[in-house]
């Protein structure tokens, strides 16, 4: 989780604790596998690319919004364990 959040912030490829190679998705490319978005729509209808990362081994893609929500969910669960 930490490697993914760092990657979408600065764009530098990383290797997760489990050895998964992570890289940032550039341009339009593949949408997030969770929310199916590849861009973010602004207030006036303008769009900008949504920061996403992919796993080199599997091709899985997740955006920074979904990655952040996943981290929040895990933190909430861990508080109640």
């Amino acid at each position: 989780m930490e490697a993914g959040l760092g990657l979408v912030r600065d764009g530098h490829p990383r290797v997760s604790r489990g050895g998964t190679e992570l890289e940032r998705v550039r341009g339009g490319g593949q949408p997030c596998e969770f929310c199916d978005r590849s861009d973010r729509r602004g207030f006036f209808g303008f769009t900008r690319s949504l920061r996403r990362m992919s796993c080199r081994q599997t091709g899985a893609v997740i955006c920074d919004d979904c990655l952040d929500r996943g981290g929040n969910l895990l933190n909430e669960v861990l508080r109640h364990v």
Side-chain angles (χ1 to χ4, degrees):
M1 181 89 45
E2 295 154 16
L5 289 171
L7 181 140
V8 294
R9 268 194 304 270
D10 64 23
H12 298 295
R14 288 181 167 71
V15 176
S16 72
R17 289 185 197 175
T20 305
E21 296 176 30
L22 306 172
E23 59 190 2
R24 190 162 176 187
V25 174
R26 300 283 180 197
Q30 296 173 290
C32 174
E33 293 183 13
F34 293 92
C35 67
D36 200 36
R37 297 181 305 155
S38 58
D39 58 3
R40 179 176 281 130
R41 301 204 185 282
F43 182 73
F44 294 109
F46 297 107
T47 61
R48 62 183 171 138
S49 183
L50 185 60
R51 294 182 297 183
R52 288 156 290 142
M53 67 168 203
S54 69
C55 169
R56 188 173 289 169
Q57 288 89 343
T58 65
V61 175
I62 187 170
C63 71
D64 63 343
D65 289 346
C66 289
L67 191 60
D68 191 42
R69 282 187 205 113
N72 290 339
L73 179 63
L74 287 172
N75 287 333
E76 187 65 31
V77 168
L78 290 173
R79 272 188 235 139
H80 298 289
V81 173

Coordinates of all heavy atoms in Angstrom, one line a residue:
M1 N 0.8 -1.2 0.0 CA 0.0 0.0 0.0 C 0.9 1.2 0.0 O 0.6 2.2 -0.8 CB -0.9 0.0 1.2 CG -1.9 1.1 1.4 SD -3.5 1.0 0.6 CE -4.1 -0.6 0.9
E2 N 1.9 1.3 0.9 CA 2.8 2.4 1.0 C 3.5 2.7 -0.3 O 3.7 3.8 -0.8 CB 3.8 2.3 2.1 CG 3.1 2.2 3.5 CD 3.9 1.4 4.5 OE1 5.1 1.2 4.2 OE2 3.4 1.1 5.5
A3 N 4.0 1.6 -1.0 CA 4.8 1.7 -2.2 C 3.9 2.3 -3.3 O 4.3 3.2 -4.1 CB 5.3 0.4 -2.6
G4 N 2.6 1.9 -3.3 CA 1.7 2.4 -4.3 C 1.3 3.8 -4.1 O 1.3 4.6 -5.1
L5 N 1.1 4.2 -2.9 CA 0.8 5.6 -2.7 C 2.0 6.5 -3.0 O 1.8 7.6 -3.6 CB 0.4 5.8 -1.2 CG -1.0 5.3 -0.9 CD1 -1.2 5.3 0.7 CD2 -2.1 6.0 -1.6
G6 N 3.2 6.1 -2.7 CA 4.4 6.8 -3.0 C 4.6 6.9 -4.5 O 4.9 8.0 -5.0
L7 N 4.3 5.9 -5.2 CA 4.4 5.8 -6.7 C 3.5 6.8 -7.4 O 3.9 7.6 -8.2 CB 4.2 4.4 -7.2 CG 4.3 4.3 -8.7 CD1 5.0 3.0 -9.0 CD2 3.0 4.3 -9.4
V8 N 2.2 6.8 -7.0 CA 1.3 7.7 -7.6 C 1.6 9.2 -7.3 O 1.2 10.1 -8.0 CB -0.2 7.4 -7.4 CG1 -0.6 6.1 -8.0 CG2 -0.5 7.4 -5.9
R9 N 2.3 9.4 -6.2 CA 2.7 10.8 -5.8 C 3.8 11.3 -6.6 O 3.8 12.4 -7.2 CB 3.0 10.9 -4.3 CG 1.9 11.2 -3.4 CD 2.4 11.6 -2.0 NE 3.2 10.6 -1.4 CZ 2.7 9.6 -0.7 NH1 1.4 9.5 -0.4 NH2 3.5 8.7 -0.1
D10 N 4.9 10.5 -6.7 CA 6.1 11.0 -7.4 C 6.4 10.4 -8.7 O 7.2 10.8 -9.5 CB 7.3 10.9 -6.5 CG 7.7 9.4 -6.2 OD1 7.3 8.5 -6.9 OD2 8.4 9.2 -5.1
G11 N 5.7 9.3 -9.1 CA 5.8 8.7 -10.4 C 7.0 7.8 -10.6 O 7.2 7.2 -11.7
H12 N 7.8 7.6 -9.5 CA 9.0 6.7 -9.7 C 8.6 5.2 -9.4 O 7.9 4.9 -8.5 CB 10.1 7.1 -8.6 CG 10.6 8.5 -8.8 ND1 11.3 8.8 -9.9 CD2 10.5 9.6 -8.0 CE1 11.6 10.1 -9.8 NE2 11.1 10.6 -8.7
P13 N 9.0 4.3 -10.4 CA 8.7 2.9 -10.2 C 9.2 2.4 -8.9 O 10.2 2.9 -8.4 CB 9.4 2.2 -11.4 CG 9.6 3.3 -12.4 CD 9.8 4.6 -11.6
R14 N 8.5 1.4 -8.3 CA 8.9 0.8 -7.0 C 8.6 -0.7 -7.0 O 7.9 -1.2 -7.9 CB 8.1 1.4 -5.9 CG 8.4 2.9 -5.6 CD 7.6 3.3 -4.4 NE 8.0 4.6 -3.8 CZ 8.0 5.8 -4.4 NH1 7.5 5.9 -5.6 NH2 8.4 6.8 -3.8
V15 N 9.2 -1.3 -6.0 CA 8.9 -2.7 -5.8 C 8.3 -2.8 -4.4 O 8.7 -2.2 -3.4 CB 10.2 -3.6 -5.8 CG1 9.9 -5.0 -5.5 CG2 10.9 -3.5 -7.2
S16 N 7.1 -3.5 -4.4 CA 6.4 -3.6 -3.1 C 7.1 -4.5 -2.1 O 8.0 -5.2 -2.5 CB 4.9 -4.1 -3.3 OG 5.0 -5.5 -3.7
R17 N 6.6 -4.6 -0.9 CA 7.2 -5.5 0.1 C 7.1 -6.9 -0.4 O 8.0 -7.8 0.0 CB 6.5 -5.4 1.4 CG 6.8 -4.1 2.1 CD 6.1 -4.1 3.5 NE 6.1 -2.8 4.0 CZ 5.5 -2.5 5.2 NH1 4.9 -3.5 5.9 NH2 5.4 -1.3 5.6
G18 N 6.1 -7.3 -1.1 CA 5.9 -8.6 -1.6 C 6.7 -8.9 -2.9 O 6.6 -10.0 -3.5
G19 N 7.5 -7.9 -3.4 CA 8.3 -8.1 -4.6 C 7.6 -7.8 -5.9 O 8.1 -8.1 -7.0
T20 N 6.4 -7.2 -5.8 CA 5.7 -6.8 -7.0 C 6.3 -5.5 -7.6 O 6.4 -4.6 -6.9 CB 4.2 -6.6 -6.7 OG1 3.7 -7.8 -6.1 CG2 3.4 -6.3 -7.9
E21 N 6.5 -5.5 -8.9 CA 7.0 -4.3 -9.6 C 5.9 -3.4 -9.9 O 5.0 -3.8 -10.6 CB 7.8 -4.7 -10.8 CG 9.1 -5.5 -10.5 CD 9.8 -6.0 -11.8 OE1 9.7 -5.3 -12.8 OE2 10.4 -7.1 -11.7
L22 N 5.9 -2.2 -9.5 CA 4.8 -1.2 -9.7 C 5.4 -0.1 -10.5 O 6.5 0.4 -10.3 CB 4.3 -0.7 -8.4 CG 3.9 -1.7 -7.3 CD1 3.6 -1.0 -6.0 CD2 2.7 -2.5 -7.8
E23 N 4.5 0.4 -11.5 CA 4.9 1.5 -12.3 C 3.7 2.4 -12.6 O 2.6 1.9 -12.5 CB 5.5 1.0 -13.7 CG 4.6 0.2 -14.5 CD 5.3 -0.5 -15.7 OE1 6.5 -0.3 -15.8 OE2 4.6 -1.2 -16.4
R24 N 3.9 3.6 -12.9 CA 2.8 4.6 -13.1 C 2.3 4.4 -14.5 O 3.0 4.3 -15.4 CB 3.3 6.0 -12.8 CG 2.2 7.0 -12.8 CD 2.7 8.2 -12.1 NE 1.6 9.2 -12.2 CZ 1.8 10.5 -11.8 NH1 3.0 10.9 -11.3 NH2 0.8 11.3 -11.8
V25 N 1.0 4.5 -14.6 CA 0.3 4.5 -15.9 C 0.4 5.9 -16.5 O 0.0 6.8 -15.8 CB -1.2 4.0 -15.8 CG1 -1.9 4.1 -17.2 CG2 -1.2 2.6 -15.3
R26 N 0.9 6.0 -17.7 CA 1.0 7.4 -18.3 C -0.1 7.6 -19.3 O -0.6 6.7 -20.0 CB 2.3 7.5 -19.1 CG 3.5 7.3 -18.2 CD 3.8 8.5 -17.4 NE 4.9 8.3 -16.5 CZ 5.2 9.1 -15.5 NH1 4.4 10.1 -15.2 NH2 6.2 8.8 -14.7
G27 N -0.6 8.8 -19.4 CA -1.6 9.2 -20.4 C -3.0 8.5 -20.1 O -3.3 8.1 -19.0
G28 N -3.8 8.4 -21.2 CA -5.1 7.7 -21.1 C -5.0 6.3 -20.6 O -5.5 6.0 -19.5
G29 N -4.4 5.5 -21.3 CA -4.1 4.1 -20.9 C -5.3 3.4 -20.3 O -6.5 3.7 -20.6
Q30 N -5.0 2.4 -19.5 CA -6.0 1.5 -18.9 C -6.7 2.2 -17.8 O -6.1 2.9 -17.0 CB -5.4 0.2 -18.4 CG -4.7 -0.6 -19.4 CD -4.0 -1.8 -18.8 OE1 -3.0 -1.6 -18.2 NE2 -4.5 -3.0 -18.9
P31 N -8.0 2.0 -17.7 CA -8.8 2.5 -16.5 C -8.5 1.7 -15.2 O -8.0 0.6 -15.3 CB -10.2 2.4 -16.9 CG -10.3 1.2 -17.9 CD -8.9 1.3 -18.6
C32 N -8.9 2.3 -14.1 CA -8.7 1.6 -12.8 C -9.7 0.4 -12.8 O -10.8 0.5 -13.3 CB -9.1 2.6 -11.7 SG -9.2 1.8 -10.1
E33 N -9.2 -0.7 -12.3 CA -10.0 -1.9 -12.3 C -11.2 -1.9 -11.2 O -12.1 -2.7 -11.3 CB -9.2 -3.1 -12.0 CG -8.2 -3.4 -13.2 CD -7.4 -4.6 -13.0 OE1 -7.7 -5.4 -12.1 OE2 -6.4 -4.8 -13.8
F34 N -11.1 -0.9 -10.3 CA -12.1 -0.8 -9.3 C -13.2 0.2 -9.6 O -14.4 -0.1 -9.5 CB -11.5 -0.4 -7.9 CG -10.6 -1.5 -7.4 CD1 -9.3 -1.6 -7.7 CD2 -11.2 -2.5 -6.6 CE1 -8.5 -2.6 -7.2 CE2 -10.4 -3.6 -6.1 CZ -9.0 -3.6 -6.4
C35 N -12.8 1.4 -10.1 CA -13.8 2.4 -10.4 C -14.0 2.6 -11.9 O -14.9 3.4 -12.3 CB -13.4 3.7 -9.7 SG -11.9 4.5 -10.4
D36 N -13.2 2.0 -12.7 CA -13.3 2.1 -14.2 C -13.1 3.5 -14.7 O -13.6 3.8 -15.8 CB -14.7 1.5 -14.6 CG -14.6 1.1 -16.1 OD1 -13.6 0.6 -16.6 OD2 -15.7 1.3 -16.8
R37 N -12.3 4.3 -14.0 CA -12.0 5.7 -14.5 C -10.6 5.8 -14.9 O -9.7 5.1 -14.4 CB -12.3 6.7 -13.4 CG -13.7 6.8 -12.9 CD -13.8 7.9 -11.8 NE -12.9 7.6 -10.7 CZ -12.5 8.6 -9.9 NH1 -12.8 9.8 -10.1 NH2 -11.7 8.3 -8.9
S38 N -10.3 6.6 -15.9 CA -9.0 6.9 -16.3 C -8.7 8.4 -16.2 O -7.6 8.9 -16.4 CB -8.6 6.4 -17.7 OG -9.5 6.9 -18.6
D39 N -9.8 9.2 -16.0 CA -9.7 10.6 -15.9 C -10.6 11.2 -14.8 O -11.5 10.5 -14.3 CB -9.9 11.4 -17.2 CG -11.3 11.1 -17.8 OD1 -12.1 10.4 -17.1 OD2 -11.6 11.6 -18.9
R40 N -10.3 12.4 -14.4 CA -11.1 13.0 -13.3 C -11.8 14.3 -13.9 O -11.1 15.0 -14.6 CB -10.1 13.5 -12.2 CG -10.9 14.2 -11.1 CD -9.9 14.5 -9.9 NE -9.7 13.3 -9.1 CZ -8.5 12.8 -8.8 NH1 -7.4 13.4 -9.1 NH2 -8.4 11.7 -8.0
R41 N -13.0 14.4 -13.7 CA -13.8 15.5 -14.2 C -13.9 16.6 -13.2 O -14.2 16.4 -12.1 CB -15.2 15.1 -14.6 CG -15.2 14.0 -15.6 CD -16.5 13.9 -16.4 NE -16.5 12.8 -17.3 CZ -15.8 12.7 -18.5 NH1 -15.1 13.7 -18.9 NH2 -15.9 11.7 -19.3
G42 N -13.5 17.8 -13.7 CA -13.5 19.0 -12.8 C -14.9 19.6 -12.7 O -15.9 19.2 -13.4
F43 N -15.0 20.7 -12.0 CA -16.3 21.4 -11.8 C -16.9 21.9 -13.1 O -18.1 21.8 -13.3 CB -16.1 22.5 -10.8 CG -17.3 23.3 -10.5 CD1 -18.3 22.7 -9.7 CD2 -17.5 24.6 -11.0 CE1 -19.5 23.4 -9.4 CE2 -18.7 25.3 -10.7 CZ -19.6 24.7 -9.9
F44 N -16.1 22.5 -14.0 CA -16.6 23.0 -15.2 C -16.5 22.1 -16.4 O -16.6 22.4 -17.5 CB -15.7 24.3 -15.6 CG -15.9 25.4 -14.6 CD1 -14.9 25.7 -13.7 CD2 -17.1 26.1 -14.5 CE1 -15.1 26.8 -12.8 CE2 -17.3 27.1 -13.6 CZ -16.3 27.5 -12.7
G45 N -16.4 20.8 -16.1 CA -16.4 19.8 -17.1 C -15.1 19.5 -17.7 O -15.0 18.6 -18.6
F46 N -14.0 20.1 -17.3 CA -12.7 19.8 -17.8 C -12.2 18.5 -17.2 O -12.6 18.1 -16.1 CB -11.7 20.9 -17.4 CG -12.0 22.3 -18.0 CD1 -12.5 23.3 -17.2 CD2 -11.8 22.5 -19.3 CE1 -12.9 24.5 -17.7 CE2 -12.1 23.7 -19.8 CZ -12.6 24.7 -19.0
T47 N -11.4 17.8 -18.0 CA -10.9 16.5 -17.5 C -9.4 16.6 -17.4 O -8.7 17.3 -18.1 CB -11.3 15.3 -18.4 OG1 -10.7 15.6 -19.7 CG2 -12.8 15.2 -18.5
R48 N -8.9 15.8 -16.5 CA -7.4 15.6 -16.4 C -7.2 14.1 -16.0 O -8.0 13.5 -15.5 CB -6.8 16.5 -15.3 CG -7.3 16.3 -13.9 CD -6.8 17.3 -13.0 NE -7.5 17.2 -11.7 CZ -6.9 17.2 -10.5 NH1 -5.6 17.4 -10.4 NH2 -7.6 17.0 -9.4
S49 N -6.0 13.7 -16.4 CA -5.7 12.3 -16.2 C -5.7 11.9 -14.7 O -5.2 12.7 -13.9 CB -4.3 12.0 -16.8 OG -4.0 10.6 -16.7
L50 N -6.3 10.8 -14.4 CA -6.3 10.3 -13.0 C -5.0 9.5 -12.8 O -4.7 8.6 -13.6 CB -7.5 9.4 -12.8 CG -7.8 8.9 -11.5 CD1 -8.0 10.0 -10.5 CD2 -9.0 8.0 -11.5
R51 N -4.3 9.8 -11.7 CA -3.0 9.1 -11.5 C -3.4 7.6 -11.2 O -4.2 7.3 -10.3 CB -2.3 9.7 -10.3 CG -1.8 11.1 -10.6 CD -1.0 11.7 -9.5 NE -1.9 11.9 -8.4 CZ -1.5 12.4 -7.2 NH1 -0.3 12.9 -7.1 NH2 -2.4 12.5 -6.2
R52 N -2.7 6.7 -11.9 CA -2.9 5.3 -11.7 C -1.6 4.6 -11.7 O -0.6 5.1 -12.2 CB -3.7 4.7 -12.8 CG -5.2 5.1 -12.8 CD -5.8 5.1 -14.2 NE -5.3 6.2 -14.9 CZ -5.0 6.1 -16.2 NH1 -5.2 5.0 -16.9 NH2 -4.5 7.1 -16.8
M53 N -1.6 3.4 -11.1 CA -0.4 2.5 -11.1 C -0.7 1.2 -11.6 O -1.9 0.8 -11.6 CB 0.3 2.5 -9.8 CG -0.5 1.7 -8.8 SD 0.5 1.4 -7.3 CE -0.4 0.0 -6.7
S54 N 0.2 0.5 -12.2 CA 0.0 -0.9 -12.6 C 1.1 -1.8 -12.1 O 2.2 -1.4 -11.8 CB -0.1 -1.0 -14.1 OG 1.2 -0.8 -14.7
C55 N 0.7 -3.1 -12.0 CA 1.6 -4.1 -11.5 C 2.2 -4.7 -12.8 O 1.4 -5.2 -13.7 CB 0.8 -5.2 -10.8 SG 1.7 -6.7 -10.5
R56 N 3.5 -4.7 -12.9 CA 4.1 -5.2 -14.1 C 3.9 -6.7 -14.4 O 3.7 -7.1 -15.5 CB 5.6 -4.9 -14.0 CG 6.4 -5.2 -15.3 CD 7.8 -4.7 -15.3 NE 7.8 -3.3 -15.3 CZ 8.9 -2.6 -15.0 NH1 10.0 -3.2 -14.7 NH2 8.9 -1.3 -15.1
Q57 N 3.8 -7.5 -13.3 CA 3.7 -8.9 -13.5 C 2.2 -9.3 -13.9 O 2.1 -10.2 -14.7 CB 4.0 -9.6 -12.2 CG 5.4 -9.7 -11.8 CD 5.9 -8.5 -11.0 OE1 5.2 -7.5 -10.9 NE2 7.0 -8.6 -10.4
T58 N 1.2 -8.6 -13.4 CA -0.2 -9.0 -13.7 C -0.9 -8.0 -14.6 O -2.0 -8.4 -15.2 CB -1.0 -9.1 -12.4 OG1 -1.1 -7.9 -11.8 CG2 -0.3 -10.1 -11.5
G59 N -0.4 -6.8 -14.7 CA -1.1 -5.8 -15.5 C -2.3 -5.2 -14.8 O -3.0 -4.4 -15.4
A60 N -2.5 -5.5 -13.5 CA -3.6 -4.9 -12.7 C -3.3 -3.4 -12.6 O -2.2 -2.9 -12.4 CB -3.6 -5.6 -11.4
V61 N -4.4 -2.6 -12.6 CA -4.4 -1.1 -12.6 C -5.3 -0.6 -11.5 O -6.4 -1.1 -11.3 CB -4.8 -0.5 -13.9 CG1 -4.8 1.0 -13.8 CG2 -3.8 -0.9 -15.0
I62 N -4.8 0.3 -10.6 CA -5.6 0.9 -9.6 C -5.2 2.4 -9.6 O -4.1 2.8 -9.7 CB -5.4 0.3 -8.2 CG1 -6.3 0.8 -7.2 CG2 -3.9 0.4 -7.8 CD1 -6.4 0.0 -5.9
C63 N -6.2 3.2 -9.3 CA -6.0 4.7 -9.3 C -5.7 5.1 -7.8 O -5.9 4.3 -6.9 CB -7.2 5.5 -9.8 SG -8.7 5.4 -8.7
D64 N -5.2 6.3 -7.7 CA -4.8 6.8 -6.4 C -6.0 7.0 -5.5 O -5.9 6.8 -4.3 CB -3.9 8.0 -6.4 CG -4.6 9.2 -7.0 OD1 -5.6 9.1 -7.7 OD2 -4.1 10.3 -6.8
D65 N -7.2 7.3 -6.0 CA -8.4 7.4 -5.2 C -8.8 6.1 -4.6 O -9.0 6.0 -3.4 CB -9.5 8.0 -6.0 CG -9.4 9.4 -6.4 OD1 -8.5 10.1 -5.8 OD2 -10.2 9.9 -7.3
C66 N -8.8 5.0 -5.4 CA -9.2 3.7 -4.9 C -8.1 3.2 -3.9 O -8.5 2.5 -3.0 CB -9.4 2.8 -6.0 SG -11.0 3.1 -7.0
L67 N -6.9 3.4 -4.2 CA -5.8 3.0 -3.4 C -5.9 3.7 -2.0 O -5.8 3.0 -0.9 CB -4.4 3.3 -4.0 CG -3.2 2.7 -3.4 CD1 -3.2 1.2 -3.4 CD2 -2.0 3.2 -4.1
D68 N -6.2 4.9 -2.0 CA -6.4 5.7 -0.7 C -7.6 5.2 0.0 O -7.6 5.0 1.2 CB -6.5 7.2 -1.0 CG -6.4 8.0 0.2 OD1 -5.6 7.7 1.1 OD2 -7.2 9.0 0.3
R69 N -8.7 4.9 -0.7 CA -9.9 4.4 0.0 C -9.6 3.0 0.6 O -10.1 2.7 1.7 CB -11.1 4.3 -1.0 CG -11.7 5.6 -1.3 CD -13.0 5.4 -2.1 NE -13.2 6.6 -2.9 CZ -13.1 6.8 -4.2 NH1 -12.8 5.7 -4.9 NH2 -13.3 7.9 -4.7
G70 N -8.9 2.2 -0.1 CA -8.5 0.9 0.4 C -7.7 1.0 1.7 O -7.9 0.2 2.6
G71 N -6.8 1.9 1.7 CA -6.0 2.1 2.9 C -6.8 2.6 4.1 O -6.7 2.1 5.2
N72 N -7.8 3.5 3.8 CA -8.7 4.0 4.9 C -9.5 2.8 5.4 O -9.8 2.7 6.6 CB -9.6 5.1 4.3 CG -8.9 6.4 4.1 OD1 -7.8 6.6 4.6 ND2 -9.4 7.2 3.3
L73 N -10.0 2.0 4.5 CA -10.8 0.8 4.9 C -10.0 -0.1 5.8 O -10.5 -0.6 6.8 CB -11.4 0.1 3.7 CG -12.2 -1.2 3.9 CD1 -13.5 -0.8 4.7 CD2 -12.5 -1.8 2.6
L74 N -8.8 -0.4 5.4 CA -7.9 -1.3 6.2 C -7.6 -0.7 7.6 O -7.7 -1.4 8.6 CB -6.6 -1.6 5.5 CG -6.7 -2.5 4.3 CD1 -5.4 -2.6 3.6 CD2 -7.1 -3.9 4.7
N75 N -7.4 0.6 7.6 CA -7.1 1.3 8.9 C -8.4 1.2 9.8 O -8.2 1.0 11.0 CB -6.8 2.7 8.7 CG -5.4 2.9 8.1 OD1 -4.5 2.0 8.3 ND2 -5.1 4.0 7.4
E76 N -9.5 1.4 9.2 CA -10.8 1.3 10.0 C -11.0 -0.1 10.6 O -11.3 -0.3 11.8 CB -12.0 1.7 9.2 CG -13.3 1.8 9.9 CD -13.3 2.9 10.9 OE1 -12.6 3.9 10.7 OE2 -14.0 2.8 11.9
V77 N -10.7 -1.1 9.8 CA -10.9 -2.5 10.2 C -9.9 -2.8 11.3 O -10.2 -3.4 12.3 CB -10.7 -3.5 9.0 CG1 -10.5 -4.9 9.5 CG2 -11.9 -3.4 8.0
L78 N -8.6 -2.4 11.2 CA -7.6 -2.7 12.1 C -7.9 -2.0 13.5 O -7.5 -2.5 14.5 CB -6.2 -2.3 11.6 CG -5.7 -3.1 10.5 CD1 -4.4 -2.5 9.9 CD2 -5.5 -4.6 10.9
R79 N -8.6 -0.9 13.5 CA -8.9 -0.2 14.7 C -9.9 -1.0 15.6 O -10.0 -0.9 16.8 CB -9.6 1.1 14.4 CG -8.6 2.2 14.3 CD -9.2 3.6 14.2 NE -8.7 4.2 13.0 CZ -9.4 4.9 12.1 NH1 -10.7 5.1 12.3 NH2 -8.8 5.4 11.1
H80 N -10.7 -1.9 14.9 CA -11.7 -2.6 15.6 C -11.4 -4.1 15.8 O -12.2 -4.9 16.2 CB -13.0 -2.6 14.8 CG -13.6 -1.2 14.7 ND1 -14.1 -0.5 15.7 CD2 -13.6 -0.3 13.6 CE1 -14.5 0.7 15.3 NE2 -14.1 0.9 14.1
V81 N -10.1 -4.4 15.6 CA -9.7 -5.8 15.8 C -9.2 -6.0 17.2 O -8.6 -5.2 17.8 CB -8.6 -6.2 14.7 CG1 -8.0 -7.6 15.0 CG2 -9.2 -6.2 13.4

